[in-house]
Amino acid sequence: GALRNPVVRRAISYALNRTQLIKQAFGSTEFDRPLTHVLPPGIAGSKNFNDYPHNLAKAQQLLAQTRHSHLTLKLLYRPAALSNALLAQTTKKELGQVGITVKLVPASPSDFYVKYLERPTAAKRGLWDLTYAGWGPDWYGQAADSFFEPLFDGRVIPPFSSNFGLYQSAIVERLIDKANNAPAAQADQLWEQADHKVISDAAVY
């Protein structure tokens, strides 16, 4: 239950180095730029901010505030995908620097979603704690809802959404509803607020 604590999740976010993860998995950051928030450039409401610059000391300080200073976490990954396997190894090494032990949980491509991510009971039973899942917009411009509703609306959970971390925030849900019924300019501000809230809660990295 350690990851129910947002302080623990924030510590993990400080401990990981985005640039290093991308370099190890893909060889370069020239085309795969690190993203520090939910909405990428080209999506209305996207504003650049970075709440968690890489900082091992800050990560250790936050973990010390909790009773979870010596965590063991299960990282679900797909060894059949080379980039995924490299991300897993790099994550294990980086979290180890702040005292977090990472146990790798391999899954076949078919099991990854069907057996684990799309079954909320798998996470609740502790079969996995962390994982990687990609997400991209089907269109650009006014497309922020295509991120926030399927990924962060706790009123709908897998297999009927892609909210694999089972994140739930009444504030984010209100912002989603308001933004979906607001004029474009006002909606952009609401989506920006939702972005800040999700990252403040460290729902994703």
Side-chain angles (χ1 to χ4, degrees):
L3 294 184
R4 291 192 182 99
N5 187 337
V7 177
V8 174
R9 301 195 300 267
R10 290 175 192 135
I12 291 171
S13 292
Y14 278 114
L16 294 172
N17 184 333
R18 286 178 173 81
T19 300
Q20 190 65 20
L21 285 167
I22 290 173
K23 281 184 177 179
Q24 290 299 316
F26 305 108
S28 170
T29 59
E30 183 177 356
F31 301 108
D32 296 287
R33 302 292 174 89
L35 188 66
T36 57
H37 43 84
V38 176
L39 295 177
I43 302 297
S46 174
K47 293 291 177 64
N48 195 29
F49 65 93
N50 183 5
D51 286 355
Y52 306 106
H54 179 54
N55 189 327
L56 295 178
K58 181 69 173 179
Q60 290 170 320
Q61 176 190 350
L62 290 176
L63 287 172
Q65 294 174 13
T66 73
R67 59 183 178 87
H68 302 294
S69 55
H70 296 285
L71 275 175
T72 296
L73 296 175
K74 295 176 182 177
L75 174 59
L76 178 68
Y77 78 110
R78 289 166 286 178
L82 178 58
S83 61
N84 210 248
L86 292 170
L87 279 172
Q89 292 295 338
T90 305
T91 300
K92 180 177 181 177
K93 178 181 177 181
E94 293 198 346
L95 293 185
Q97 293 178 323
V98 296
I100 297 176
T101 299
V102 174
K103 291 186 176 181
L104 301 182
V105 180
S108 67
S110 57
D111 283 348
F112 184 72
Y113 286 99
V114 175
K115 184 178 177 180
Y116 293 100
L117 297 194
E118 293 178 351
R119 290 191 181 183
T121 53
K124 291 177 179 178
R125 287 163 51 205
L127 298 183
W128 66 277
D129 300 302
L130 305 171
T131 194
Y132 308 99
W135 192 265
D138 292 324
W139 66 95
Y140 286 89
Q142 298 294 332
D145 187 47
S146 70
F147 287 83
F148 285 101
E149 195 156 356
L151 295 176
F152 305 112
D153 190 332
R155 294 168 292 189
V156 184
I157 62 172
F160 304 105
S161 77
S162 297
N163 183 9
F164 303 128
L166 308 180
Y167 174 71
Q168 190 163 26
S169 166
I171 294 173
V172 171
E173 289 161 12
R174 284 198 296 272
L175 288 168
I176 289 171
D177 292 343
K178 285 183 178 180
N180 280 330
N181 291 286
Q186 184 181 350
D188 291 352
Q189 295 177 353
L190 294 167
W191 291 128
E192 183 185 351
Q193 291 176 41
D195 203 337
H196 277 278
K197 175 60 177 169
V198 167
I199 296 301
S200 174
D201 288 341
V204 292
Y205 172 74

